[in-house]
Amino acid sequence: MNEQNDFPYIGKDILGFRYNAAYPPNTAKFGTTYGGYPNNARQVLFYDFAVQGYDVEFSYHGKKYHLLFEPDHSALCDENYNKEHESFSNPIELIENLSIEGSKLIDIIDELEDVEPE
């Protein structure tokens, strides 16, 4: 994603590296294995998806889900990223508000499996 198009939750550290200011990494607490997050799911969603702009695939209770990143919105999509089922103004809004099997994605984030950037 181009810097001038960054979402408001994207901050820059003292070296100029972009990070998620809404859900910042904490390397002092969690180390560097997952970029300062406690697990892979949080690193992929909070950094790879929300900051770097990668599409994401994950499983929950055996079902695959696909998240699309676009410069002006994010969406839950089909497996080919062609059809948007539900869209949000940005990745953080999606993470906080997308309902998966009756639960918000943010509330089940630590239960996700096979979380990978595409």
Side-chain angles (χ1 to χ4, degrees):
M1 173 173 243
N2 188 322
E3 265 178 44
Q4 58 260 31
N5 296 330
D6 276 348
F7 292 113
Y9 62 81
I10 296 178
K12 289 189 181 171
D13 67 16
I14 59 172
L15 298 175
F17 294 107
R18 298 161 68 238
Y19 72 97
N20 187 329
Y23 294 92
N26 184 339
T27 54
K29 183 174 182 180
F30 300 114
T32 58
T33 301
Y34 299 110
Y37 292 101
N39 57 46
N40 182 62
R42 287 180 182 257
Q43 177 187 359
V44 170
L45 288 172
F46 292 145
Y47 184 70
D48 295 339
F49 178 57
V51 176
Q52 294 296 97
Y54 290 103
D55 297 334
V56 171
E57 176 182 282
F58 65 87
S59 296
Y60 183 67
H61 292 160
K63 183 177 177 186
K64 289 252 187 216
Y65 293 88
H66 306 273
L67 305 180
L68 172 71
F69 180 98
E70 290 290 340
D72 63 344
H73 73 285
S74 295
L76 174 66
C77 293
D78 67 348
E79 70 258 6
N80 297 316
Y81 295 91
N82 293 326
K83 181 179 179 186
E84 295 182 10
H85 300 295
E86 190 172 356
S87 73
F88 298 87
S89 64
N90 65 61
I92 293 298
E93 184 182 311
L94 181 148
I95 293 167
E96 293 176 339
N97 296 294
L98 178 66
S99 182
I100 303 276
E101 296 182 24
S103 297
K104 300 276 187 199
L105 180 57
I106 190 74
D107 295 332
I108 60 169
I109 193 169
D110 297 322
E111 300 171 40
L112 304 179
E113 297 177 338
D114 307 318
V115 185
E116 298 293 331
E118 292 285 293

